[in-house]
Coordinates of all heavy atoms in Angstrom, one line a residue:
L1 N -7.8 -1.0 -6.4 CA -8.6 -1.6 -5.4 C -10.1 -1.7 -5.8 O -10.7 -2.7 -5.6 CB -8.6 -0.5 -4.2 CG -7.2 -0.4 -3.4 CD1 -7.4 0.6 -2.3 CD2 -6.8 -1.8 -2.8
R2 N -10.5 -0.7 -6.8 CA -11.8 -0.8 -7.3 C -12.0 -2.1 -8.2 O -13.0 -2.8 -8.1 CB -12.1 0.5 -8.1 CG -13.4 0.4 -9.0 CD -14.6 0.4 -8.1 NE -15.8 0.4 -8.9 CZ -16.3 -0.7 -9.3 NH1 -15.8 -1.9 -9.1 NH2 -17.4 -0.8 -10.0
C3 N -10.9 -2.4 -8.9 CA -11.0 -3.5 -9.8 C -10.9 -4.8 -9.0 O -11.5 -5.9 -9.5 CB -9.8 -3.4 -10.8 SG -9.8 -2.2 -12.1
M4 N -10.5 -4.7 -7.9 CA -10.4 -6.1 -7.0 C -11.8 -6.4 -6.6 O -12.1 -7.6 -6.2 CB -9.5 -5.7 -5.8 CG -8.1 -5.7 -6.0 SD -7.4 -7.2 -6.7 CE -7.7 -8.4 -5.3
S5 N -12.8 -5.6 -6.8 CA -14.2 -6.0 -6.4 C -14.8 -6.9 -7.4 O -15.8 -7.5 -7.3 CB -15.1 -4.7 -6.2 OG -15.1 -4.0 -7.4
H6 N -14.1 -7.0 -8.6 CA -14.5 -7.9 -9.6 C -13.3 -9.0 -9.8 O -12.4 -8.7 -10.5 CB -14.7 -7.2 -11.0 CG -15.9 -6.3 -11.0 ND1 -17.1 -6.8 -11.0 CD2 -16.0 -4.9 -10.8 CE1 -18.0 -5.6 -10.9 NE2 -17.2 -4.6 -10.7
P7 N -13.5 -10.1 -9.1 CA -12.3 -11.1 -9.2 C -11.9 -11.5 -10.6 O -12.8 -11.5 -11.6 CB -13.0 -12.4 -8.4 CG -14.0 -11.7 -7.6 CD -14.5 -10.7 -8.3
D8 N -10.6 -11.7 -10.8 CA -10.1 -12.1 -12.1 C -10.2 -11.0 -13.2 O -10.4 -11.3 -14.4 CB -10.6 -13.4 -12.6 CG -10.4 -14.6 -11.6 OD1 -9.4 -14.6 -11.0 OD2 -11.3 -15.4 -11.5
T9 N -10.3 -9.7 -12.7 CA -10.4 -8.7 -13.7 C -9.1 -8.7 -14.6 O -8.0 -8.7 -14.1 CB -10.4 -7.3 -13.0 OG1 -11.6 -7.3 -12.2 CG2 -10.6 -6.2 -13.9
V10 N -9.4 -8.6 -15.9 CA -8.3 -8.5 -16.8 C -8.3 -7.2 -17.6 O -9.3 -6.8 -18.0 CB -8.4 -9.6 -17.9 CG1 -7.3 -9.5 -19.0 CG2 -8.5 -11.1 -17.2
F11 N -7.2 -6.5 -17.5 CA -7.0 -5.3 -18.2 C -5.6 -5.0 -18.5 O -4.7 -5.9 -18.3 CB -7.5 -4.1 -17.3 CG -6.8 -4.0 -16.0 CD1 -5.6 -3.5 -15.8 CD2 -7.5 -4.6 -14.8 CE1 -5.1 -3.4 -14.6 CE2 -6.9 -4.6 -13.6 CZ -5.7 -4.0 -13.4
S12 N -5.3 -4.0 -19.3 CA -3.9 -3.7 -19.8 C -3.5 -2.4 -19.3 O -4.3 -1.6 -18.8 CB -3.9 -3.8 -21.3 OG -4.7 -2.8 -21.9
I13 N -2.2 -2.1 -19.5 CA -1.7 -0.8 -19.2 C -2.3 0.2 -20.0 O -2.6 1.3 -19.5 CB -0.1 -0.9 -19.4 CG1 0.6 -1.8 -18.4 CG2 0.5 0.6 -19.2 CD1 0.5 -1.5 -17.0
S14 N -2.6 0.0 -21.2 CA -3.2 0.9 -22.1 C -4.6 1.3 -21.7 O -5.1 2.3 -21.8 CB -3.2 0.4 -23.6 OG -3.9 -0.8 -23.7
D15 N -5.3 0.2 -21.1 CA -6.7 0.5 -20.6 C -6.6 1.5 -19.5 O -7.4 2.4 -19.4 CB -7.3 -0.8 -20.2 CG -7.6 -1.8 -21.3 OD1 -7.8 -1.3 -22.4 OD2 -7.7 -3.0 -21.1
I16 N -5.7 1.3 -18.6 CA -5.6 2.2 -17.4 C -5.1 3.6 -17.9 O -5.7 4.7 -17.4 CB -4.5 1.7 -16.4 CG1 -4.9 0.3 -16.0 CG2 -4.4 2.6 -15.2 CD1 -3.9 -0.4 -14.9
A17 N -4.2 3.7 -18.9 CA -3.8 4.9 -19.4 C -4.9 5.7 -20.0 O -5.1 6.9 -19.9 CB -2.7 4.7 -20.4
D18 N -5.8 4.9 -20.7 CA -7.0 5.6 -21.4 C -8.0 6.1 -20.3 O -8.6 7.1 -20.5 CB -7.6 4.5 -22.3 CG -8.7 5.2 -23.1 OD1 -8.5 6.3 -23.7 OD2 -9.7 4.6 -23.4
K19 N -8.1 5.3 -19.2 CA -9.1 5.6 -18.2 C -8.8 7.0 -17.6 O -9.6 7.8 -17.3 CB -9.0 4.5 -17.1 CG -9.9 4.8 -15.9 CD -11.3 4.5 -16.2 CE -12.2 4.7 -14.8 NZ -13.6 4.5 -15.2
F20 N -7.5 7.2 -17.4 CA -7.0 8.5 -16.6 C -6.4 9.5 -17.6 O -5.9 10.5 -17.2 CB -6.1 8.1 -15.5 CG -6.7 7.3 -14.5 CD1 -6.6 6.0 -14.4 CD2 -7.5 8.0 -13.5 CE1 -7.1 5.2 -13.4 CE2 -8.1 7.2 -12.5 CZ -8.0 5.9 -12.4
D21 N -6.5 9.2 -18.9 CA -5.8 10.1 -19.9 C -4.4 10.4 -19.6 O -3.8 11.5 -19.7 CB -6.5 11.4 -19.9 CG -6.4 12.2 -21.2 OD1 -5.9 11.6 -22.2 OD2 -6.8 13.5 -21.3
H22 N -3.7 9.2 -19.3 CA -2.3 9.3 -19.0 C -1.6 8.6 -20.2 O -2.2 8.0 -21.1 CB -1.9 8.4 -17.8 CG -2.4 9.1 -16.5 ND1 -2.7 10.4 -16.5 CD2 -2.4 8.7 -15.2 CE1 -3.0 10.7 -15.2 NE2 -2.8 9.7 -14.4
T23 N -0.3 8.6 -20.2 CA 0.5 7.8 -21.1 C 0.8 6.4 -20.4 O 0.7 6.3 -19.2 CB 1.9 8.4 -21.4 OG1 2.7 8.5 -20.3 CG2 1.6 9.8 -22.0
E24 N 1.1 5.4 -21.1 CA 1.4 4.1 -20.6 C 2.7 4.2 -19.7 O 2.7 3.4 -18.6 CB 1.7 3.0 -21.7 CG 0.4 2.8 -22.4 CD 0.7 1.6 -23.5 OE1 1.7 1.0 -23.4 OE2 -0.3 1.3 -24.3
K25 N 3.6 5.0 -20.1 CA 4.8 5.2 -19.2 C 4.4 5.8 -17.8 O 5.0 5.4 -16.8 CB 5.7 6.2 -19.9 CG 7.1 6.4 -19.2 CD 8.0 7.3 -20.0 CE 9.3 7.5 -19.3 NZ 10.2 8.3 -20.1

């Protein structure tokens, strides 16, 4: 939802995993 405030936001699964210190799985 936060990313939706910036239209056409491009990111990857690895970016999100790194953001929250998760694994891609």
Side-chain angles (χ1 to χ4, degrees):
L1 293 179
R2 170 67 179 87
C3 291
M4 287 297 293
S5 62
H6 296 280
D8 301 324
T9 298
V10 178
F11 53 81
S12 66
I13 295 295
S14 61
D15 292 333
I16 303 177
D18 188 41
K19 175 76 175 179
F20 294 100
D21 205 9
H22 289 346
T23 64
E24 291 187 11
K25 185 177 180 181

